[in-house]
Amino acid sequence: MARGDGRTVLHYLTGPAAGMRIIQQENQVWEVGPKGVRRAHKLGIECPLPDPKALQENFVVRKVGHAQVANRPTSVVSISPRSGPNAQIVVWLDDETHFPLARQQLADGRVVSETRYISVRYNVPPPKKWEPPQQAGERGRWRARGLDIQRVDAAGAAKILGTAVKRPTYLPGGFAEQGLVTLRYSRAGAAVQIRYGDGLRVMTITEHRRPRLVEQQGARQGRWAQARIVQSRQRKVARRLVGEIVVTVSGPLSDRELLKVARSVR
């Protein structure tokens, strides 16, 4: 990973994504494979930084030790929500720069995700600005898999769904709504996403019209109306059918909390 001057380049060296580069610059994210551009995502929103005030209100932050990460001394910091012990984030902060060299996320005492640098250099030039190919502005295979994310108000969201946005009656402690966005897929149509945050974590509820396949698989018998945990890419989400709307709840929460939120959506 290389970062600087408002740009980030993530290059996969091994594994199923070997050779893939994720390039973020100028409010766009490009996925570039060994054979060229695969996807281009337009981000009409900014990723919020942690809110210090909300952190203080919703979390207990404690320094719990010291450790070496990437051959550098770090301070180990535990961040636990005040609402209960079912979630925790542990970060290893470089003692000199305070850069997070490792991050671990736990739910119900189980590690659900972990990121760790094995080497790091700070005083290096930023990654070069990437110039997309000429065809990037035209219709093509890469565009068929693109995504456009934009903010929207409740009226605009209702127009996309054909009904009012459905909201949960239960939220985990500290979480508050941050706004609505539209997710426009050039192949699969559009969806609406409600974003919630507690100062550090982000939970999303994504809603879209029920596809015909859902009905064929037994929606009328009520199977899809029951909230259930499903695997979506590399994460678990809670999914449920509410009327004609498929609701998907995603975030760094335990399966129990994800299901509780999904079951409360009305």
Side-chain angles (χ1 to χ4, degrees), residues 8 44 67 120 123 127 129 147 165 167-168 193 197 219 242:
T8 300
V120 63
N123 297 318
K129 185 176 180 179
L147 171 64
V165 174
R167 285 180 165 82
Q193 188 175 86
V242 183

mmCIF file of all heavy atoms in Angstrom, residues 8 44 67 120 123 127 129 147 165 167-168 193 197 219 242:
data_model
loop_
_atom_site.group_PDB
_atom_site.id
_atom_site.type_symbol
_atom_site.label_atom_id
_atom_site.label_comp_id
_atom_site.label_asym_id
_atom_site.label_seq_id
_atom_site.Cartn_x
_atom_site.Cartn_y
_atom_site.Cartn_z
ATOM 1 N N THR A 8 -4.331 6.818 -2.843
ATOM 2 C CA THR A 8 -3.986 5.542 -2.227
ATOM 3 C C THR A 8 -3.937 4.474 -3.309
ATOM 4 O O THR A 8 -4.847 4.377 -4.148
ATOM 5 C CB THR A 8 -5.021 5.127 -1.168
ATOM 6 O OG1 THR A 8 -5.081 6.125 -0.150
ATOM 7 C CG2 THR A 8 -4.654 3.790 -0.537
ATOM 8 N N GLY A 44 -19.655 9.848 -4.588
ATOM 9 C CA GLY A 44 -20.219 11.176 -4.409
ATOM 10 C C GLY A 44 -20.312 11.567 -2.955
ATOM 11 O O GLY A 44 -20.992 12.528 -2.610
ATOM 12 N N ALA A 67 4.032 -3.267 22.127
ATOM 13 C CA ALA A 67 4.412 -4.398 21.276
ATOM 14 C C ALA A 67 5.206 -3.878 20.087
ATOM 15 O O ALA A 67 5.177 -2.680 19.772
ATOM 16 C CB ALA A 67 3.177 -5.157 20.803
ATOM 17 N N VAL A 120 7.156 -0.913 6.951
ATOM 18 C CA VAL A 120 6.600 0.409 6.674
ATOM 19 C C VAL A 120 7.735 1.410 6.458
ATOM 20 O O VAL A 120 8.794 1.322 7.090
ATOM 21 C CB VAL A 120 5.682 0.869 7.827
ATOM 22 C CG1 VAL A 120 6.469 1.006 9.125
ATOM 23 C CG2 VAL A 120 4.973 2.172 7.492
ATOM 24 N N ASN A 123 8.882 8.375 5.051
ATOM 25 C CA ASN A 123 9.388 9.506 4.267
ATOM 26 C C ASN A 123 9.703 9.092 2.835
ATOM 27 O O ASN A 123 10.851 8.988 2.419
ATOM 28 C CB ASN A 123 10.637 10.089 4.945
ATOM 29 C CG ASN A 123 10.320 10.643 6.320
ATOM 30 O OD1 ASN A 123 9.308 11.299 6.506
ATOM 31 N ND2 ASN A 123 11.191 10.361 7.281
ATOM 32 N N PRO A 127 2.356 8.182 -4.209
ATOM 33 C CA PRO A 127 2.183 7.438 -5.460
ATOM 34 C C PRO A 127 1.876 8.390 -6.613
ATOM 35 O O PRO A 127 1.226 9.426 -6.427
ATOM 36 C CB PRO A 127 1.003 6.511 -5.159
ATOM 37 C CG PRO A 127 0.275 7.155 -4.025
ATOM 38 C CD PRO A 127 1.319 7.850 -3.220
ATOM 39 N N LYS A 129 0.176 10.013 -9.858
ATOM 40 C CA LYS A 129 -1.208 10.118 -10.294
ATOM 41 C C LYS A 129 -1.443 9.150 -11.441
ATOM 42 O O LYS A 129 -0.659 9.085 -12.385
ATOM 43 C CB LYS A 129 -1.522 11.544 -10.735
ATOM 44 C CG LYS A 129 -2.986 11.756 -11.099
ATOM 45 C CD LYS A 129 -3.268 13.209 -11.427
ATOM 46 C CE LYS A 129 -4.738 13.397 -11.787
ATOM 47 N NZ LYS A 129 -5.039 14.818 -12.098
ATOM 48 N N LEU A 147 -19.949 1.317 -10.296
ATOM 49 C CA LEU A 147 -20.837 1.701 -9.203
ATOM 50 C C LEU A 147 -20.726 3.203 -9.001
ATOM 51 O O LEU A 147 -19.634 3.760 -9.002
ATOM 52 C CB LEU A 147 -20.449 0.969 -7.916
ATOM 53 C CG LEU A 147 -21.138 1.402 -6.618
ATOM 54 C CD1 LEU A 147 -22.622 1.128 -6.690
ATOM 55 C CD2 LEU A 147 -20.523 0.682 -5.430
ATOM 56 N N VAL A 165 -38.547 4.688 2.511
ATOM 57 C CA VAL A 165 -37.416 3.943 3.063
ATOM 58 C C VAL A 165 -37.831 3.305 4.378
ATOM 59 O O VAL A 165 -38.512 3.919 5.203
ATOM 60 C CB VAL A 165 -36.224 4.889 3.291
ATOM 61 C CG1 VAL A 165 -35.089 4.168 3.991
ATOM 62 C CG2 VAL A 165 -35.744 5.460 1.973
ATOM 63 N N ARG A 167 -36.949 1.823 8.035
ATOM 64 C CA ARG A 167 -35.920 2.077 9.032
ATOM 65 C C ARG A 167 -36.067 1.113 10.211
ATOM 66 O O ARG A 167 -37.155 0.628 10.484
ATOM 67 C CB ARG A 167 -35.997 3.519 9.520
ATOM 68 C CG ARG A 167 -35.460 4.535 8.504
ATOM 69 C CD ARG A 167 -35.567 5.935 9.049
ATOM 70 N NE ARG A 167 -34.757 6.881 8.293
ATOM 71 C CZ ARG A 167 -35.144 7.446 7.157
ATOM 72 N NH1 ARG A 167 -36.331 7.161 6.652
ATOM 73 N NH2 ARG A 167 -34.350 8.309 6.529
ATOM 74 N N PRO A 168 -34.966 0.878 10.924
ATOM 75 C CA PRO A 168 -35.018 -0.028 12.081
ATOM 76 C C PRO A 168 -35.620 0.662 13.303
ATOM 77 O O PRO A 168 -35.462 1.870 13.484
ATOM 78 C CB PRO A 168 -33.552 -0.379 12.312
ATOM 79 C CG PRO A 168 -32.813 0.844 11.839
ATOM 80 C CD PRO A 168 -33.597 1.362 10.656
ATOM 81 N N GLN A 193 -29.166 3.119 0.455
ATOM 82 C CA GLN A 193 -28.433 2.688 1.641
ATOM 83 C C GLN A 193 -28.543 3.753 2.733
ATOM 84 O O GLN A 193 -28.312 4.935 2.479
ATOM 85 C CB GLN A 193 -26.965 2.448 1.301
ATOM 86 C CG GLN A 193 -26.154 1.813 2.408
ATOM 87 C CD GLN A 193 -24.744 1.490 1.955
ATOM 88 O OE1 GLN A 193 -23.866 2.349 2.022
ATOM 89 N NE2 GLN A 193 -24.517 0.277 1.484
ATOM 90 N N GLY A 197 -23.607 5.536 12.280
ATOM 91 C CA GLY A 197 -22.284 5.518 12.875
ATOM 92 C C GLY A 197 -22.351 5.782 14.369
ATOM 93 O O GLY A 197 -23.325 6.366 14.867
ATOM 94 N N ALA A 219 -40.341 -16.753 -1.628
ATOM 95 C CA ALA A 219 -40.676 -15.573 -0.834
ATOM 96 C C ALA A 219 -42.115 -15.607 -0.359
ATOM 97 O O ALA A 219 -42.429 -15.179 0.742
ATOM 98 C CB ALA A 219 -40.419 -14.310 -1.662
ATOM 99 N N VAL A 242 -38.810 -7.451 3.498
ATOM 100 C CA VAL A 242 -39.850 -6.669 4.175
ATOM 101 C C VAL A 242 -40.795 -6.153 3.095
ATOM 102 O O VAL A 242 -40.457 -5.208 2.376
ATOM 103 C CB VAL A 242 -39.255 -5.501 4.977
ATOM 104 C CG1 VAL A 242 -40.361 -4.756 5.713
ATOM 105 C CG2 VAL A 242 -38.201 -6.002 5.953
#
